[in-house]
Amino acid sequence: SINKPSENLSAALAAGKPLPAAQRGRLLQDIVAVFNNTGLPTTQLSDTIVDIPAVLKKAGTDETAAAAVGEDFKAIAAEIRKKS
């Protein structure tokens, strides 16, 4: 279900300070890459997944919330890869 990841992402974004435009763009690119990961090399996908919580932490989200979001997107990526 997409509910848990979206709730975790919303909470993480609300807990931090507003993301500057460049960071919002980077986060969005990472999320789009996760959802469209079938053509990405595994190392690039891993780097993208690691980048998601890094962007959130840079905005002031605490480690636990940022890590939860990272784990959510890791699970999403694995599920997409499994189905492709």
Side-chain angles (χ1 to χ4, degrees), residues 61-72:
T61 302
D62 71 71
E63 179 79 31
T64 303
V69 173
E71 288 300 314
D72 289 340

Side-chain angles (χ1 to χ4, degrees), residues 15-52:
K17 54 189 176 210
L19 288 171
Q23 294 298 319
R24 279 193 315 266
R26 184 170 144 194
L27 181 62
L28 183 58
Q29 283 180 321
D30 288 343
I31 292 170
V32 168
V34 168
F35 280 101
N36 296 304
N37 76 59
T38 54
L40 283 180
T42 303
T43 54
Q44 186 177 355
L45 178 59
S46 295
D47 291 346
T48 299
I49 293 168
V50 168
D51 193 48
I52 293 171

Side-chain angles (χ1 to χ4, degrees), residues 7 16 67:
E7 289 169 5

